[in-house]
Amino acid sequence: MPQAQIPALENSVPASREKGRRHFIWVTSLLVFLLALQASFNYLVNPVATFRSNRGLGPQINQRRIKVDLLRDFAPPPEILILGSSRVRNIDPELVGRTFGANAFNAGVQNGGPRDWFAFARYSVRELDCPLRLVMVGVDPDNFLRDTVAYNHAVYVTELRNQLPHPWRDWLETRKELVSPYLTEKSWQVLVNRFQGKNAPKTAGAKLKRLHRDLLHPPPPGKKLTPRADGYFPEDSFGQGQKIKVSLGKAFSWNTPFNPEAVEYWEALAALAAERHFTLIAFVIPMSPRLEDHLDLVAPTYRSRLRDARRFLRKAGSANVVVCEIDSALLNFDDYSDLYHPGRASSESIIRQVYDCARKAGKI
Amino acid sequence: MLFQSFPFVFGLLPLTLIFFWLAPRPGQKHAVLVMASYIFYGWWNWRFCGLLLFSTVLDFVCGGLIAKATAPRQRKALLAVSITGNLGVLGFFKYWDFFADSYNRLAEMLGLAAAAPLFHIVLPVGISFYTFQTLSYTVDIYRGHATPTRSLVKFMAFVSMFPQLVAGPIVRWTEVDEQLDRLPRGIDWRTAALGLNLFILGLSKKVLIADNVFPLADPLTYAGRTAASFWPAYFLWNFWLYYDFSSYSDMAIGLGLLLGLKLPINFNSPYKSGSIPEYWQRWHITLGSFMRDYVFIPLGGSKVAFNRVLLNTLIIFFLIGLWHGASWLFVAWGIYNGIGTCGHLIAKRRGIAIKNRALARILTFGFIINAGFIFRSTDLDTTLSWFRAARGANGLGGWPDPWVMLVLGLIVVHVHFMPNAYQWKWRFTWWEGVVMALLFVACVARFFKPVEFFYFQF
């Protein structure tokens, strides 16, 4: 039987030490250069508007960035903060202000969750010294579940990230994204669309010139990027489909347990309310009954998870926390553009119900 | 911490290398290595660091005392303390639940009421590897093959050395004792350049090949497959195992070279073997040689009667099986390999061993591949369901997926006919550098979905 010869490592490389040195430096420099190139490309294109390089050449906007800027410039500083996801976008701060007798700011953001609520509230009181009296949180039934709270765009906004418990770790996470295949693919898509798009200039030279301008300078803000100074985005800023999407069954089939991180953020927010003496009012925003009936068929876990969320909010309540039940009979579901996001009329009803609830609880 | 992760590649590794290269004296380099290794290990669970420290201190003390002791009985007693301590820890963490469960089942069958408690212990990563390392230290000192060190930090560096801490190769004290004393001042560019290349190649084997092959070969899908789709997937799984495990060793050796340490080679194109004993000289080489030197030779080696040699061989493979995991299937897998080895020894003795190298390689490969039915299975029912699928119980099926066949074909060419990473003659040309850098960048893209190494569970 032939004995297996074990290769000698020292024979597999050139004898020259200098060659080794040059190879080592060449490989490390090249790989650093390639990674830096990829990161710079993604940073400049900024396809999902997560970095400060520009407002993003892609179709997405970074609402957190915009709302932080607006909140900082809002004068006088708000006494009422409205928090939540895109489902609170029609809660008009002006109406809230008139109803509650104090100026309000809508800091609801797309896919907003406990991390965003905590970060916005803490940023308001710690950094901007807002004399907060009330924080209204429109809760989605999936806000505390494991899967859905993973949406971490708050960490891309320095002001918000600095409010979170591990800003350095979060900062590293954002830098990591710069070399992700996901972002690189998005950047390419955006760039190709930009280069070949309908409104692009005809000649290649002009296209490159525009691309150069877009990359290095923020594009002029479009209509969709102009919310009101109090954070209120007009309803028609978002195009929403009228039909129930086929994927809703999957989107609302929540089987995951509660996310301890989300629970911690909620508890931290309640603690902040106690520390800074403001009232935290939480309410679950109802969906259109038509959508709920549909979900009974395609997402059987939806109702039980909704009950779980309500139960959790009630259980997690403290002296400074008020949990309000929104009576869906008083809402107008015809104005739910997509059966999920309340329109203006329903939002007005929600504001009134929250007011009554807060008054009953003796908080105003 | 995984090698294929951002914290390691962009954090711990560069920082360790910088401090390690800047440290002027070996003692300082040892300290850097120990710190980096404990961070690396503690990243999984910092509590496990205590266990690592316990093993280290136990053998450091025992080794020193064995060297000083003059009375044979005293030396033996100290060795017994070391062996009992090490195997006791390993036995408790790795085998307690297994043996307790087996005992309980037996007691139930015999109608006895005795029930051993099950602790559902979490297995500390790499415990099987570092326990053997520390054990080799005291045994070698006892035998007079090694001299103990007076530096605890140096010994800690040996035991906890992060490149090979969690999945080998199993390094012996005698292999690194002098190297640790003679660590070069500054950077040894020749070995560093080779180390960088090997690390990137190992990384590529793991994240570009193994992690992409696995979904095509996942054993969870075997039971319902037709024969035509079962066999390609099954072959791919075996190759995946090779890529997954050997990639770790390649990276470990590459990292060792970056630190100026030459670690033993653990894989040498195992599927090119012409017999089962040769296979075990090429696959997980350091485990095979450990068992040979610390169990087989003390049992008499090849110098005893032939029947005894066969028995010793079976004992060795029983232990190799048990080392792999606390399950009777692993034991059965070990015995299967032992029977293959004994069969070869008998054939060789009778002069009927296959002379034709190509035929011997095909037969050996077939034997090894079949071991996967036991090695990867979770229980006997699963193994039987795979056998049924393999022989077409779910139908023969049509043509296999062309994509799977293409991947399989490329892999067969690679593992059977191409030189391995250690046989490659590097010339350090500019294009080699470009290939390495591009491979690295491609690997980084896969860091976002890291997959643990299969051998971490051992």
Side-chain angles (χ1 to χ4, degrees), chain B residues 352-364:
Chain B
I352 54 170
I354 296 161
K355 300 277 192 304
N356 182 304
R357 179 77 183 158
L359 182 62
R361 272 178 65 170
I362 291 169
L363 290 175
T364 305

Side-chain angles (χ1 to χ4, degrees), chain B residues 99-296:
Chain B
F99 282 119
D101 185 48
S102 300
Y103 170 76
N104 289 344
R105 283 183 193 200
L106 186 70
E108 197 182 306
M109 275 168 59
L110 298 174
L112 301 171
L118 297 177
F119 295 121
H120 304 291
I121 305 158
V122 178
L123 182 69
V125 186
I127 191 170
S128 310
F129 290 90
Y130 70 71
T131 301
F132 274 27
Q133 288 197 188
T134 55
L135 208 52
S136 78
Y137 175 73
T138 44
V139 174
D140 281 350
I141 290 173
Y142 176 80
R143 287 174 174 177
H145 296 167
T147 48
T149 176
R150 280 189 292 177
S151 163
L152 177 61
V153 178
K154 180 184 168 189
F155 187 66
M156 284 171 82
F158 156 68
V159 179
S160 66
M161 201 183 292
F162 72 85
Q164 45 71 247
L165 177 60
V166 288
I170 299 166
V171 180
R172 300 185 205 178
W173 173 249
T174 47
E175 287 167 327
V176 290
D177 180 14
E178 278 189 28
Q179 290 192 65
L180 283 168
D181 285 336
R182 292 181 190 164
L183 287 169
R185 205 184 168 91
I187 307 169
D188 181 343
W189 290 108
R190 274 183 76 221
T191 54
L194 176 63
L196 183 65
N197 284 1
L198 285 178
F199 177 72
I200 294 174
L201 280 182
L203 197 62
S204 312
K205 263 167 102 172
K206 169 65 181 162
V207 303
L208 300 182
I209 303 179
D211 291 352
N212 283 315
V213 161
F214 187 77
L216 304 176
D218 188 354
L220 287 176
T221 64
Y222 284 177
R225 283 179 182 258
T226 62
S229 80
F230 175 86
W231 282 107
Y234 181 69
F235 272 77
L236 274 179
W237 182 83
N238 280 277
F239 290 127
W240 165 81
L241 182 67
Y242 164 66
Y243 280 110
D244 193 76
F245 190 15
S246 68
S247 65
Y248 188 92
S249 292
D250 293 347
M251 282 188 264
I253 291 165
L255 291 170
L257 289 169
L258 282 165
L259 298 167
L261 291 163
K262 211 180 120 192
L263 305 181
I265 288 172
N266 214 19
F267 287 86
N268 185 17
S269 303
Y271 292 130
K272 292 176 186 166
S273 307
S275 68
I276 306 303
E278 187 189 342
Y279 173 78
W280 280 98
Q281 290 169 17
R282 289 172 175 269
W283 172 279
H284 204 172
I285 298 168
T286 53
L287 176 66
S289 65
F290 184 96
M291 287 293 182
R292 181 194 64 211
D293 293 347
Y294 294 97
V295 186
F296 185 70

Side-chain angles (χ1 to χ4, degrees), chain A residues 1-5 7 9-15 17 20-21 23-24 26-27 30-31 35 176 180-181, chain B residues 6 10 21 187 189-190 193-194 197 258 262 265 268 275 281 357 422 424-426 428 430 434 440 445 448:
Chain A
M1 181 186 73
Q3 288 289 314
Q5 290 289 318
L9 284 175
E10 51 272 24
N11 298 336
S12 65
V13 289
R17 198 170 173 273
R21 191 180 73 89
H23 181 77
F24 187 90
W26 167 236
V27 175
L30 195 58
L31 64 88
L35 288 171
K176 208 168 88 174
S180 75
Chain B
F6 283 95
F10 296 104
W21 287 335
I187 307 169
W189 290 108
R190 274 183 76 221
L194 176 63
N197 284 1
L258 282 165
K262 211 180 120 192
I265 288 172
N268 185 17
S275 68
Q281 290 169 17
R357 179 77 183 158
Y422 310 104
W424 186 266
K425 296 283 177 221
W426 296 98
F428 292 158
W430 68 268
V434 171
F440 182 85
F448 290 88

Side-chain angles (χ1 to χ4, degrees), chain A residues 158-177:
Chain A
T158 315
E159 292 88 337
L160 297 181
R161 185 174 63 236
N162 287 341
Q163 309 308 319
L164 301 176
H166 308 289
W168 273 102
R169 194 190 66 186
D170 292 336
W171 181 82
L172 284 171
E173 286 291 312
T174 63
R175 301 303 106 169
K176 208 168 88 174
E177 277 293 316

